[in-house]
Amino acid sequence: MNPVLRAFLRELPGWFLLLGIFLPVTLLLLLLIAYFRVKLMEVNEELSQTPAHQHHRRTASSLYHRMKHR
C-alpha cells in the first residue's frame, strides 16, 4: 500500500470516514434522486393535462408519417 495512504488511514478513524463523509454524501444523493423524481412526476402530470401538448404530439406524429412516406 502507498505510504501516504497508509499514514492517512492510520490517522483518520474509520468511524469518522463512515459517519462523517460516506453517510452524508449518500443521504444527499438519495435526497436529490427523490426530489428530481417528484419534480419529474409533477411535470409529466402537467404535460398530460395540457391540451396544447396533446395537439403538438399529434402534429409531430403526422409530420413524421408524412416525411416517412415521401
Side-chain angles (χ1 to χ4, degrees):
M1 189 185 299
N2 190 351
V4 175
L5 182 61
R6 186 180 301 145
F8 177 75
L9 291 175
R10 192 176 333 118
E11 295 296 325
L12 185 69
W15 62 266
F16 178 77
L17 191 61
L18 181 67
L19 295 177
I21 297 172
F22 179 74
L23 188 64
V25 170
T26 303
L27 292 176
L28 178 65
L29 290 175
L30 290 174
L31 185 64
L32 283 172
I33 290 169
Y35 173 77
F36 285 123
R37 182 172 181 236
V38 168
K39 287 297 179 185
L40 183 62
M41 289 169 47
E42 289 176 2
V43 168
N44 283 338
E45 185 177 331
E46 286 180 20
L47 286 177
S48 68
Q49 294 175 356
T50 305
H53 182 262
Q54 292 169 354
H55 174 70
H56 176 70
R57 290 181 85 185
R58 272 188 259 127
T59 306
S61 176
S62 63
L63 179 62
Y64 171 75
H65 287 297
R66 274 188 257 145
M67 290 181 69
K68 189 176 178 182
H69 290 291
R70 284 187 178 186

